[in-house]
Amino acid sequence: MATPLVELRNISIAFGGIKAVDNVTVDLYPGEVVGLLGHNGAGKSTLIKCLSGAYRRDSGQILINGEEVQINNPRDAKALGIETIYQALALADNVDAAANLYLGREILTRWGTLDDVAMEAEARKVMGRLNPNFRRFKEPAKSLSGGQRQSVAIARAILFNARILIMDEPTAALGPHETQMVADLIHELKRQGLGIFLIDHDVHSVKKLCDRAAVMKNGQLVGIVKVDEVTEDDILAMIILGKRPDQLTPKDKEAVH
Amino acid sequence: MVTTTERGGSGQDIRRDNPIKAFFRATELDTRILGMVGAMLVIWVIFDVWSGMLRPNEGLFGGAFLTPRNLWTLLVQTSSIAVMTTGMVLVIVMREIDLSVGSMLSMVAVFGAVLQVYHLGPALGVGHPAIWIIAMAACLLAGTLVGAFNGYLIAFLQIPSFIVTLGGLIAYKGVAFLLASGETVAPMDKTFKIVGGGVPEGWLGPFWSWTLGILACIGIVLALISGRKQRKKFGFPLRPIWAEVTLAAIGSAAVLGTTRVVTSYPWPFKLIEQYATANNVPIPQGVEDKSGAAICMAGDQIVRCTDGLIYYTGYAAPVLIALIVGGAMTFLASRTRFGRYIYAIGGNPEAAQLAGINTRLVTVKVFALMGFLVGLSAIIASARLDAATNALGQSNELYVIAAAVIGGTSLAGGVGTVYGALLGALTMQSIQSGMQLLNLPAAFQDIVVGTVLVIAVFVDQLYRRRIK
Ligand SMILES: Nc1ncnc2c1ncn2[C@@H]1O[C@H](COP(=O)(O)OP(=O)(O)OP(=O)(O)O)[C@@H](O)[C@H]1O
Ligand SMILES: [Mg+2]
C-alpha cells in the first residue's frame, strides 16, 4: 500500500492530569476523507490541534509522507501544507474578511506594503465559490453572521493550496444550501488529492462524505472503520458504547437501536 | 458593470439615503473623527470668546486663543505627548498598556543630558558636532532597549504589561534620580536644542513651510488618485468623483490652513533684533508702536513697530517631528504587515497565533517601538527645556494614555487610530492651555481634564452603540 499522507502515531497529550488524548494512532491517505467522531470532550479537537501546531503533544510522532516532522507551532504546520478550520473559527473580529483570509500571509505590493485591493479581489473570487451571497467584504468579522464567519474560515483554509485539510465541525453554523456547498467542496478537494480530517457529529453525513471513520472516547481511540463496511448504528455504537462492531453483543445492538 | 453610485461592500445604493448620510457614505469619512474635530473647534471658540471677554485680544473671536501665537505654541506643546501617543495607540490596540513612558522619558532625557553635559562636552569640547549626534542616537537607542526589555518581560516571561510597566513607572523614576543625582542637568548642546523648537534654527520659515504644505497637498491628491486607479483595476465600486474632490479639498484646506497659521507667527522681536545685528540686515526707519511685532529704527534706537523688519517662524521642529511620526505611524498601522498583525492580535490573540503570527515577537517589537518614541520625546522635551531633570515627563503616561483614549482607542483592544490619538492629544492640550490663558488654577485644570476624559469615553460608547 502507498505511504500515508499523514500518520499520527501514539499521540498523547494531557491537561493538568486529564488525559485529553491518550495514545491515539490514525493515518490519512491522499484523496481520502477520514471522519473523526466521538462524544463532546472525547479529544477530537485536541488531537487535530497537535497536527495543526496549536498544541504541543506530550508524546507520539507525526509523519508526513512517511517522514517524521516537528510541528511546534502553527507556522510549522502551514509550511507543511496543513490548513485548519478551527471549531472556534479563529477569526480576528476587528478586521474584514479579506484581512482574515490572508492573515499571516498577506499579499504585498512591490513596495512591501499591504495590497488590500488585491487581497479583496482574491477574497471576492474564493468567497464567490463558497458563498455567492456574501457581500460584506468591508465589514469587520464581528459584524458577520455565524455562517458567514464559517465561510470565511473555510475559504481561508482552501486559499493556499493545502495538502492536508483539517475541518473541525465545518458545517456547524451553516444553512442547508451552504452545507451542501461544503460537501461539494470536500468532494472536489478529495478529487484533487488532498487528505482531509473531518470532525463531525452527524453520523449520516460522515457516512456520506468520509472513506473511513475514527471514533474516540475519553481520549482513547475506539477504532477505525471503513464507512461502507458498517452501518450508521455500528458507528453510533462505537461512539456511545466505545465498542467496535465485532465486539458488540446482541444486547448492545438493542440498546443503540 | 458596477455603477459608480454604489459604494464598497455594503452594496447599498446611496441614492436611497438622505443627503447627509449619502455624503458620508460616498466620501467614506470617519464621522467619529469629524465629531472630534467639531468638538475641538467648539472648545477653541469658547476659549477665544471667553478670554476675549476678560481681555480683548487679536483672536478670531476677539480673544487670545485663536491667535497665531497661541495656536503655534499649542502645537509645539502638544508634540512631545503626541509622539508618544502614536505608539501608545498600538500598545493599547494590542490589549496591552505602558504605564512606564513618563518615567522612561525622564530616565532617557537625563541620560542624554548627563552624556552630553558631563561626558561628551568635556571630552570633545563644547559645541563639537559629534555631541548632538551621539546624544540623540544614545537617547533613541536607550529608549528602544528599555522598551524591548519591557516587551520581553511581557511576551516571554508572560508578566502582565500592567505590572511590568507599573514596576517601570516606579523604577525608571529612581534611575533618573540617580543618574542626575537629583539635579538639573543643563545646558544642552546648541544643535541638540534645535529639536526643541525654541531657537530660530528650529523654525522652518515661511518659504519652506509653504513648500512643505503644498507638497503635502500634492501628496493627498496623488494618494487619492492611486487608490482610485487601484480599485478601478480590479473593477471595484468607486467613490463618485465629487466625493474624491471633496476629500482632496478638505485635506488640502486643513494642511494649508495650518501652514497659514504657523507662518503668521512672528519671531520674538528680541530675536529679530539679534539676528539683524549679527547678520548686518538693514533695519528700516519707522515709528515706534509697542503692540507691533516688527522692529524699526527710530533715530539710532531699535524699537518695536507694526511696519518694519519682521520674520515669521513657520513650522517648528518638534511639530514637524510629530507630523512626520504621525504619518509614519499611520502608514505602519494601516499599510504594513506589522500593523495588520498588531490589530489582529488585539482583535483575537488566539486567532492571530493560530494564523501563524509570532505574537510574542510582535509584542516585543511594539514595546521597543514605544520605547523608541519615548526616546524621541525625551529629546524633544529636554531640548525644549534646554535642560533635563528627573521631573521631566512626570505624569506623562497619564496624558499619553488619556490622549489615545480620547482619540477613540478602546482599552478592550483591537480598535484605535493614530490620527485619532493625535487629535486626542491636541484636544487635551487645547483644554489645558486654554485654561492657562484664562488663569484658572492648576488644580481646576486637573479636574476638567479628568472629567473630559471620562465624558469623551462615554460619548464614544454612545456613538458606537448608535451606529450598530
Ligand atoms: N486548553 C485546554 N485546557 C484544559 N483542558 C482542555 C483544553 N482543551 C481541551 N481540554 C479538555 O480535553 C478534553 C478533550 O477536549 P476536546 O476539545 O478535544 O473535545 P472534542 O472531542 O473536540 O469535543 P467537542 O465535540 O465538544 O468539540 C476535554 O475534557 C476538555 O475539557
Ligand atoms: Mg471539538
Side-chain angles (χ1 to χ4, degrees), chain A residues 75 91 94 106 114 116 135, chain B residues 9 335 337 341 343 348 414:
Chain A
R75 263 164 292 146
L91 299 185
N94 54 338
E106 290 74 11
L114 295 174
D116 278 322
R135 289 269 179 285
Chain B
R335 307 282 351 133
R337 266 199 175 144
Y341 293 171
Y343 281 83
N348 186 346

Side-chain angles (χ1 to χ4, degrees), chain A residues 15-16 18-21 38-47 49 55 87 168-169 199 201 216:
Chain A
F15 295 111
I18 301 172
K19 285 195 166 176
V21 174
H39 58 86
N40 290 127
K44 309 177 293 289
S45 297
T46 309
L47 176 67
K49 279 184 180 171
Y55 289 158
Q87 189 171 14
D168 196 346
E169 307 195 21
I199 299 180
H201 284 289
M216 291 178 70

Side-chain angles (χ1 to χ4, degrees), chain B residues 191-259:
Chain B
T191 316
F192 188 93
K193 249 172 68 177
I194 292 176
V195 176
V199 289
E201 292 86 349
W203 302 327
L204 211 50
F207 176 76
W208 290 110
S209 296
W210 280 113
T211 310
L212 195 76
I214 290 166
L215 284 179
C217 293
I218 295 174
I220 291 173
V221 173
L222 288 182
L224 285 171
I225 292 177
S226 104
R228 191 177 174 85
K229 262 200 194 138
Q230 222 11 32
R231 294 192 68 78
K232 206 173 199 165
K233 192 171 104 196
F234 286 93
F236 290 172
L238 300 172
R239 287 190 201 113
I241 290 284
W242 64 262
E244 305 268 17
V245 172
T246 312
L247 284 178
I250 293 175
S252 306
V255 170
L256 296 179
T258 312
T259 310

